[in-house]
Amino acid sequence: MHCRVCGVEARKVNDFGQMPIANSFIRLIQEDVFRFQLSTSFCEDCALFQIDEQPNAELMFHDAYPFFTGLSMEMTRHFKDLVQSHAESLNREIDPFVVEIGSNDGTLLQFVRELGIRHLGIDPSSNVVAIANSKGISSEVGFFGEKTAVEIEKRFGEADLILAANVICHIPDIIDLAAGVKKLLGPNGQFVFEEPYVGDIIAKTSYDQIYDEHVYLFGATSVRNIFRRVGLELIDAIPQFTHGGSMRYVIMHVGARSQSLRLNRILRDEEVAGLSQTNTYLEFAARCELRRSELRSLLQQLKTAGARVAGYAATSKSTTILNYCGINSDLIEYIVDSTPEKQMRLTPGSHIRITDVEELRKVPPDYLVLFAWNHEKEILQKEIEITQMGVKWIRFVPNVEIIS
Ligand code: DWN
Ligand code: ZN
């Protein structure tokens, strides 16, 4: 494939095979699911790791999008901190304006609203936008790009702060997005966004971060290279613990501020870790294959031994794990998830029943695969009773193992 940003031929890395849309949970086994070839490539010119083919946005983000940010207490706390760090210091005398791209159910913007700051959320899924509006958070349905940015600027004026969390990596036309940010951002404004970090994905072999929605797996080097193309500069990068390791990027107009020492260090670390070299990604692909056979053989051994295995959390990420590793209801009886919209449905492609967490207490399994490994601390704290009942947890990132 050709790199979406610089157009040069990128080197093929992973081939995960035919994959359904990660969040297309189905009602009946007979239901048809859309499939596409999930594979990745790496562009050495701009250091960008990306998926080759992405399904149409309307197939992924729609009025039944089943992910709600507010379901995680940890993430809610994290977004409160983000607003404290980046919005609280805005000068109230100038009546600042904050825009969030991909605002989901308003979990982040609610903290901006509590500060009494003018705000607007944009999200393509009307169901989550309705939830945000019902909480008094100004939100509109739409895809963010240059056209939308110009319209927002006409209606509300320039933005002093543009925020985005776990969404910029979902947008294939990243140059159009960057051009939109450039148009909407005031001269001293900041664009602050955070995403799963490619450095962690490579280091932990967390290949489940690769699925239809995540068209890019960013690092500081690639983000700097992308935004420079439109006259924006990466001035800081701040590591985060969320989603198994993320990076928060701070971007301003060129010349507005110089690069932080922390960013210089991160860029150097990325060079040392080989994040600009194709070989690093080819080695990652080999480790993905290894992890796949390790997980499959562990589940097969447990089945042979007569153990009952269930899963915890029907994440988007688990669609890659289940389909790539060929795991279905033969190996995992059911998956529990707190999202009502996912319960009574089947996982796409692998047809594992999703049910309420209560099922664990009624008929406890012997083992639980922790699909939301990124929320391990929150979930293990919450489910201490299950662990005390003797249920053993299995993690597959960074290694396939039974949690002791
Ligand atoms: O980037 C994205 C991230 C932010 O969220 C999106 N592309 C879609 C989604 O990805 P995900 O589904 O992999 O995210 P999570 O946060 O790992 O998924 C959590 C899932 O686990 C939800 O279905 C809710 C469930 N859950 C649960 O059942 N009990 C989560 C927690 C914390 C719990 O205690
Ligand atoms: Zn490129």
Side-chain angles (χ1 to χ4, degrees):
M1 60 103 56
H2 289 99
C3 172
R4 288 178 180 81
V5 170
C6 49
V8 305
E9 186 74 31
R11 181 76 187 272
K12 183 78 136 213
V13 175
N14 299 94
D15 189 354
F16 294 107
Q18 285 284 300
M19 199 59 70
I21 298 240
N23 275 307
S24 61
F25 300 96
I26 52 170
R27 287 198 175 83
L28 299 168
I29 289 185
Q30 294 79 2
E31 229 173 284
D32 257 358
V33 287
F34 172 88
R35 284 176 192 269
F36 71 106
Q37 190 69 21
L38 180 63
S39 56
T40 64
S41 292
F42 178 70
C43 171
E44 266 192 1
D45 270 40
C46 65
L48 187 54
F49 191 31
Q50 51 203 297
I51 65 170
D52 296 337
E53 183 193 334
Q54 195 190 34
N56 281 342
E58 290 75 14
L59 291 173
M60 300 181 287
F61 311 111
H62 40 65
D63 60 3
Y65 188 62
F67 179 78
F68 307 89
T69 309
L71 281 180
S72 164
M73 299 288 290
E74 278 292 321
M75 289 308 294
T76 306
R77 249 196 306 274
H78 172 77
F79 290 134
K80 188 174 184 181
D81 290 348
L82 186 153
V83 169
Q84 271 166 359
S85 306
H86 298 277
E88 227 167 54
S89 56
L90 288 171
N91 179 3
R92 306 304 163 79
E93 283 169 18
I94 60 161
D95 186 21
F97 178 46
V98 176
V99 173
E100 190 192 19
I101 304 170
S103 43
N104 198 269
D105 57 7
T107 300
L108 189 160
L109 273 186
Q110 70 185 320
F111 300 113
V112 176
R113 179 177 173 264
E114 280 171 14
L115 293 171
I117 292 176
R118 262 189 325 130
H119 61 272
L120 179 70
I122 299 284
D123 196 288
S125 299
S126 60
N127 61 328
V128 291
V129 167
I131 296 172
N133 279 316
S134 72
K135 296 191 277 193
I137 297 148
S138 312
S139 312
E140 293 182 7
V141 179
F143 287 98
F144 186 90
E146 190 171 3
K147 189 162 162 272
T148 329
V150 170
E151 280 164 18
I152 296 173
E153 200 272 329
K154 268 195 204 131
R155 287 166 59 207
F156 302 96
E158 286 170 335
D160 301 283
L161 178 64
I162 303 178
L163 297 171
N166 306 306
V167 65
I168 302 306
C169 73
H170 296 60
I171 301 173
D173 195 348
I174 188 80
I175 295 299
D176 181 56
L177 171 122
V181 169
K182 168 110 178 131
K183 288 255 163 75
L184 181 58
L185 202 61
N188 287 309
Q190 294 196 336
F191 173 38
V192 177
F193 74 99
E194 57 185 46
E195 307 289 326
Y197 180 53
V198 73
D200 285 293
I201 294 169
I202 298 296
K204 296 174 185 161
T205 320
S206 45
Y207 58 97
D208 56 345
Q209 288 289 8
I210 301 168
Y211 56 92
D212 52 2
E213 295 179 18
H214 291 179
V215 63
Y216 300 116
L217 294 316
F218 291 127
T221 311
S222 53
V223 165
R224 179 197 59 188
N225 293 343
I226 292 166
F227 285 87
R228 266 191 184 162
R229 289 183 165 253
V230 301
L232 291 170
E233 194 67 46
L234 177 63
I235 58 145
D236 202 1
I238 314 163
Q240 307 293 317
F241 288 110
T242 50
H243 290 293
S246 298
M247 190 66 81
R248 182 178 296 167
Y249 303 99
V250 182
I251 285 176
M252 295 183 82
H253 288 285
V254 167
R257 197 173 298 171
S258 53
Q259 279 186 12
S260 72
L261 292 175
R262 174 169 46 203
L263 173 60
N264 289 339
R265 198 173 54 241
I266 289 171
L267 290 168
R268 263 199 316 273
D269 289 350
E270 290 191 358
E271 265 323 302
V272 173
L275 292 182
S276 301
Q277 287 157 23
T278 305
N279 244 353
T280 305
Y281 296 84
L282 297 176
E283 285 164 17
F284 162 77
R287 287 197 304 280
C288 294
E289 304 266 305
L290 190 66
R291 295 288 180 278
R292 161 168 71 170
S293 53
E294 288 168 349
L295 183 59
R296 260 194 76 81
S297 49
L298 174 63
L299 295 179
Q300 253 152 1
Q301 275 168 31
L302 293 175
K303 184 186 159 79
T304 311
R308 296 188 56 203
V309 182
Y312 200 103
T315 60
S316 320
K317 298 183 289 292
S318 56
T319 299
T320 295
I321 298 290
L322 296 170
N323 287 278
Y324 173 58
C325 300
I327 299 167
N328 57 22
S329 54
D330 273 356
L331 295 175
I332 294 186
E333 220 172 291
Y334 61 86
I335 299 181
V336 297
D337 195 286
S338 59
T339 317
E341 286 75 359
K342 293 182 184 176
Q343 293 163 7
M344 309 305 290
R345 299 215 174 203
L346 303 169
T347 56
S350 45
H351 301 157
I352 301 172
R353 182 169 62 84
I354 304 168
T355 184
D356 188 73
V357 185
E358 276 317 300
E359 185 142 348
L360 290 177
R361 278 168 254 280
K362 284 188 216 138
V363 208
D366 301 301
Y367 292 88
L368 256 178
V369 181
L370 182 57
F371 287 109
W373 56 270
N374 47 312
H375 298 296
E376 180 176 313
K377 194 165 150 239
E378 178 174 356
I379 292 174
L380 292 194
Q381 262 168 16
K382 194 191 301 184
E383 302 299 354
I384 185 112
E385 210 188 307
I386 295 289
T387 313
Q388 283 166 350
M389 283 159 74
V391 177
K392 294 185 190 65
W393 298 79
I394 295 170
R395 68 157 86 84
F396 48 81
V397 170
N399 294 303
V400 176
E401 60 190 344
I402 295 167
I403 304 177
S404 54

